[in-house]
Amino acid sequence: MNFVMKQALGGATKDMGKMLGGEGEEKDPDAAKKEEERQEALRQQEDERKGKYAKMEAERENIRQGIRDKYGIKKKEEKEAEAAAAMEQASEGSLTRPKKAVPTGCGDEEEEESIVDTVMKFIPTPAHGYVQ
């Protein structure tokens, strides 16, 4: 393969062997140091980018809060917190309040059966007389 490539290019490049993965590769003595510097530069750029976007988001939030204050709009988080507090208060009230007596006719089993019988009267039955 090397021979074919060299013939095609006519020996135009001296580091053809390097491109094809052959021998003769020179190792850079400072390669590790350069890679470390490159990684540090990437981390620094990433930190700068995150800081920039955090600053922009803070500015946007200030503008949003100004609009909320102007028009009396509550933040989603505040609405959710109020709803949760209302649910908590409602559940606290129901747990600490003594149970009320069951009104007459609300929990009687006989009455429930009579209601079921009344409903069954109005449900049409099959013509052949089979009732479950």
Side-chain angles (χ1 to χ4, degrees), residues 99-128:
K99 290 186 177 181
K100 295 181 181 177
V102 177
T104 56
C106 287
D108 297 338
E109 291 179 17
E110 295 172 6
E111 186 175 328
E112 288 178 14
E113 290 176 12
S114 65
I115 292 172
V116 170
D117 293 336
T118 307
V119 170
M120 290 303 289
K121 291 178 188 175
F122 295 104
I123 297 175
T125 58
H128 54 69

Side-chain angles (χ1 to χ4, degrees), residues 7-80:
Q7 289 296 320
L9 295 173
T13 60
K14 291 183 179 179
D15 45 12
M16 179 56 74
K18 289 181 186 177
M19 289 173 41
L20 295 175
E23 311 130 19
E25 291 185 30
E26 295 179 21
K27 294 193 176 190
D28 190 10
D30 297 330
K33 185 177 178 182
K34 287 180 181 178
E35 180 63 23
E36 186 178 315
E37 289 175 359
R38 188 181 71 81
Q39 291 294 330
E40 181 61 32
L42 287 174
R43 274 183 251 139
Q44 187 177 11
Q45 288 174 349
E46 183 70 16
D47 291 343
E48 289 172 3
R49 186 187 65 79
K50 285 181 182 180
K52 174 185 167 186
Y53 285 107
K55 181 182 173 186
M56 288 171 45
E57 186 59 32
E59 290 173 1
R60 288 185 188 126
E61 187 56 36
N62 286 337
I63 293 170
R64 288 185 199 117
Q65 189 59 46
I67 292 169
R68 283 189 212 106
D69 293 343
K70 183 177 178 180
Y71 295 105
I73 301 170
K74 292 185 179 178
K75 207 173 184 180
K76 284 183 184 180
E77 297 161 356
E78 292 173 2
K79 288 181 185 178
E80 291 171 359

